[in-house]
Short mmCIF file of all heavy atoms in Angstrom, two decimals:
data_model
loop_
_atom_site.label_atom_id
_atom_site.label_comp_id
_atom_site.label_asym_id
_atom_site.label_seq_id
_atom_site.Cartn_x
_atom_site.Cartn_y
_atom_site.Cartn_z
N PRO A 51 13.06 12.07 -0.15
CA PRO A 51 13.38 10.87 0.59
C PRO A 51 14.68 10.26 0.22
O PRO A 51 15.22 9.38 0.93
CB PRO A 51 12.24 9.99 0.27
CG PRO A 51 11.77 10.50 -1.06
CD PRO A 51 12.06 11.94 -1.21
N VAL A 52 15.21 10.47 -0.99
CA VAL A 52 16.41 9.64 -1.46
C VAL A 52 17.55 10.58 -1.93
O VAL A 52 18.49 10.08 -2.58
CB VAL A 52 15.98 8.76 -2.61
CG1 VAL A 52 15.04 7.70 -2.02
CG2 VAL A 52 15.40 9.49 -3.75
N ALA A 54 17.82 12.98 -4.08
CA ALA A 54 17.86 13.07 -5.54
C ALA A 54 18.54 14.38 -5.89
O ALA A 54 18.34 15.40 -5.14
CB ALA A 54 16.54 12.92 -6.22
N ALA A 90 20.30 8.94 -4.70
CA ALA A 90 19.71 7.99 -5.54
C ALA A 90 19.82 8.43 -7.06
O ALA A 90 19.13 7.74 -7.88
CB ALA A 90 18.34 7.80 -5.14
N GLY A 91 20.41 9.55 -7.43
CA GLY A 91 20.53 9.90 -8.79
C GLY A 91 19.89 11.24 -9.17
O GLY A 91 19.52 11.90 -8.19
N ALA A 92 19.81 11.48 -10.39
CA ALA A 92 19.17 12.70 -10.85
C ALA A 92 17.74 12.69 -10.33
O ALA A 92 17.13 11.61 -9.97
CB ALA A 92 19.17 12.70 -12.38
N ASP A 93 17.11 13.83 -10.24
CA ASP A 93 15.69 13.91 -9.84
C ASP A 93 14.83 13.57 -11.02
O ASP A 93 14.68 14.38 -11.99
CB ASP A 93 15.36 15.32 -9.26
CG ASP A 93 13.87 15.40 -8.75
OD1 ASP A 93 13.15 14.47 -9.14
OD2 ASP A 93 13.64 16.23 -7.96
N ILE A 94 14.28 12.40 -11.06
CA ILE A 94 13.61 11.83 -12.20
C ILE A 94 12.39 12.73 -12.60
O ILE A 94 12.04 12.75 -13.72
CB ILE A 94 13.16 10.34 -11.93
CG1 ILE A 94 14.43 9.50 -11.65
CG2 ILE A 94 12.38 9.87 -13.15
CD1 ILE A 94 14.07 8.07 -11.21
N ARG A 95 11.94 13.37 -11.61
CA ARG A 95 10.74 14.24 -11.91
C ARG A 95 11.06 15.44 -12.69
O ARG A 95 10.23 16.16 -13.30
CB ARG A 95 10.03 14.74 -10.59
CG ARG A 95 9.38 13.57 -9.83
CD ARG A 95 8.66 14.03 -8.59
NE ARG A 95 8.60 12.93 -7.69
CZ ARG A 95 7.57 12.01 -7.65
NH1 ARG A 95 6.65 12.12 -8.47
NH2 ARG A 95 7.56 11.06 -6.75
N LEU A 129 23.24 5.72 -6.69
CA LEU A 129 22.73 5.20 -8.01
C LEU A 129 22.77 6.37 -9.04
O LEU A 129 22.55 7.47 -8.74
CB LEU A 129 21.32 4.66 -7.85
CG LEU A 129 21.18 3.57 -6.84
CD1 LEU A 129 19.65 3.22 -6.58
CD2 LEU A 129 21.91 2.27 -7.24
N GLY A 130 22.95 5.92 -10.36
CA GLY A 130 22.96 6.90 -11.41
C GLY A 130 23.77 8.13 -11.12
O GLY A 130 24.97 7.94 -10.79
N GLY A 131 23.24 9.32 -11.26
CA GLY A 131 23.91 10.57 -10.94
C GLY A 131 24.65 10.49 -9.56
O GLY A 131 25.69 11.13 -9.45
N GLU A 134 27.75 8.77 -10.11
CA GLU A 134 28.62 9.71 -10.97
C GLU A 134 29.24 10.69 -10.09
O GLU A 134 30.36 11.13 -10.29
CB GLU A 134 27.79 10.31 -12.06
CG GLU A 134 27.35 9.21 -13.08
CD GLU A 134 26.43 9.79 -14.11
OE1 GLU A 134 25.35 10.23 -13.85
OE2 GLU A 134 26.88 9.72 -15.30
N PRO A 153 21.77 2.59 -13.01
CA PRO A 153 20.53 1.99 -13.52
C PRO A 153 19.76 2.80 -14.50
O PRO A 153 18.62 2.49 -14.85
CB PRO A 153 19.66 1.81 -12.32
CG PRO A 153 20.09 2.93 -11.37
CD PRO A 153 21.55 3.26 -11.74
N GLU A 154 20.44 3.85 -15.13
CA GLU A 154 19.72 4.75 -16.04
C GLU A 154 19.01 3.95 -17.20
O GLU A 154 17.97 4.38 -17.70
CB GLU A 154 20.70 5.69 -16.66
CG GLU A 154 21.05 6.85 -15.71
CD GLU A 154 22.29 6.50 -14.90
OE1 GLU A 154 22.67 5.34 -14.76
OE2 GLU A 154 22.94 7.44 -14.34
N LEU A 157 15.49 3.39 -17.18
CA LEU A 157 14.63 4.56 -17.52
C LEU A 157 14.80 5.11 -18.98
O LEU A 157 14.38 6.12 -19.25
CB LEU A 157 14.99 5.67 -16.57
CG LEU A 157 15.04 5.40 -15.07
CD1 LEU A 157 15.52 6.58 -14.22
CD2 LEU A 157 13.58 5.03 -14.63
N PRO A 161 24.00 6.95 -18.35
CA PRO A 161 24.57 7.86 -17.37
C PRO A 161 25.09 9.09 -18.07
O PRO A 161 25.80 9.05 -19.05
CB PRO A 161 25.79 7.03 -16.80
CG PRO A 161 25.37 5.61 -17.06
CD PRO A 161 24.67 5.61 -18.29
N GLY A 162 24.55 10.24 -17.65
CA GLY A 162 24.72 11.48 -18.43
C GLY A 162 25.62 12.47 -17.70
O GLY A 162 25.67 13.60 -18.15
N PHE A 303 8.15 3.48 -13.91
CA PHE A 303 8.85 3.62 -12.63
C PHE A 303 7.93 4.25 -11.53
O PHE A 303 7.76 3.76 -10.52
CB PHE A 303 10.12 4.50 -12.78
CG PHE A 303 10.80 4.90 -11.52
CD1 PHE A 303 11.82 3.90 -11.06
CD2 PHE A 303 10.56 5.97 -10.80
CE1 PHE A 303 12.52 4.26 -9.85
CE2 PHE A 303 11.22 6.21 -9.58
CZ PHE A 303 12.17 5.43 -9.11
N PHE A 304 7.27 5.37 -11.95
CA PHE A 304 6.39 6.05 -10.99
C PHE A 304 5.05 5.25 -10.71
O PHE A 304 4.58 5.21 -9.64
CB PHE A 304 6.14 7.49 -11.38
CG PHE A 304 7.34 8.36 -11.09
CD1 PHE A 304 7.92 9.07 -12.15
CD2 PHE A 304 7.79 8.46 -9.80
CE1 PHE A 304 9.09 9.90 -11.93
CE2 PHE A 304 8.92 9.35 -9.59
CZ PHE A 304 9.58 9.99 -10.61
N ARG A 307 5.13 2.62 -8.29
CA ARG A 307 5.18 3.13 -6.84
C ARG A 307 3.80 3.76 -6.48
O ARG A 307 3.54 3.81 -5.25
CB ARG A 307 6.31 4.18 -6.72
CG ARG A 307 7.62 3.46 -6.68
CD ARG A 307 8.84 4.36 -6.90
NE ARG A 307 10.06 3.61 -6.77
CZ ARG A 307 10.57 2.78 -7.66
NH1 ARG A 307 9.98 2.53 -8.71
NH2 ARG A 307 11.74 2.12 -7.33
N LYS A 311 -0.85 3.35 -3.50
CA LYS A 311 -1.60 4.44 -2.91
C LYS A 311 -3.05 4.26 -3.16
O LYS A 311 -3.45 4.65 -4.26
CB LYS A 311 -0.92 5.72 -3.36
CG LYS A 311 0.48 5.85 -2.87
CD LYS A 311 1.15 7.07 -3.50
CE LYS A 311 2.68 7.02 -3.24
NZ LYS A 311 3.47 7.90 -3.99
N1 3HC B 5 14.14 11.10 -8.44
C1 3HC B 5 13.03 11.44 -7.85
N2 3HC B 5 12.35 10.71 -7.00
C2 3HC B 5 12.75 9.56 -6.68
C3 3HC B 5 13.93 9.02 -7.16
C4 3HC B 5 14.75 9.91 -8.07
N3 3HC B 5 15.95 9.50 -8.58
N4 3HC B 5 14.24 7.80 -6.64
C5 3HC B 5 13.24 7.57 -5.81
N5 3HC B 5 12.34 8.56 -5.81
C6 3HC B 5 11.13 8.68 -5.07
C7 3HC B 5 10.14 7.58 -5.37
O1 3HC B 5 9.28 7.93 -6.45
C8 3HC B 5 9.35 7.49 -4.05
O2 3HC B 5 8.39 8.62 -4.09
P1 3HC B 5 7.00 8.44 -3.32
O3 3HC B 5 7.28 8.11 -1.90
O4 3HC B 5 6.37 9.77 -3.50
O5 3HC B 5 6.32 7.30 -4.00
C9 3HC B 5 10.39 7.78 -3.00
O6 3HC B 5 11.47 8.47 -3.71
C10 3HC B 5 10.99 6.45 -2.33
O7 3HC B 5 11.37 5.62 -3.41
P2 3HC B 5 11.12 4.08 -3.26
O8 3HC B 5 9.69 3.82 -2.84
O9 3HC B 5 11.62 3.44 -4.57
O10 3HC B 5 12.05 3.64 -2.01
P3 3HC B 5 12.96 2.44 -1.82
O11 3HC B 5 13.56 2.59 -0.51
O12 3HC B 5 12.10 1.15 -2.07
O13 3HC B 5 14.09 2.50 -2.99
C11 3HC B 5 15.80 3.49 -4.32
C12 3HC B 5 15.03 3.48 -2.94
C13 3HC B 5 16.67 2.25 -4.40
C14 3HC B 5 16.75 4.66 -4.32
C15 3HC B 5 14.86 3.49 -5.45
O14 3HC B 5 13.93 4.57 -5.31
C16 3HC B 5 15.36 3.77 -6.81
O15 3HC B 5 15.89 2.80 -7.43
N6 3HC B 5 15.43 4.98 -7.37
C17 3HC B 5 15.80 5.28 -8.70
C18 3HC B 5 17.27 5.21 -8.89
C19 3HC B 5 17.67 5.60 -10.26
O16 3HC B 5 17.13 5.07 -11.26
N7 3HC B 5 18.65 6.55 -10.44
C20 3HC B 5 19.05 6.97 -11.70
C21 3HC B 5 18.32 8.25 -12.10
S1 3HC B 5 18.67 8.90 -13.59
C22 3HC B 5 20.24 9.62 -13.42
O17 3HC B 5 20.70 9.67 -12.41
C23 3HC B 5 20.79 10.37 -14.70
C24 3HC B 5 22.25 10.78 -14.47
O18 3HC B 5 22.99 9.89 -15.10
C25 3HC B 5 22.38 12.17 -15.00
#
Side-chain angles (χ1 to χ4, degrees):
V52 293
D93 186 339
I94 301 173
R95 291 180 204 275
L129 302 173
E134 291 175 298
E154 287 87 344
L157 305 173
F303 176 89
F304 285 119
R307 284 165 175 76
K311 297 173 191 167

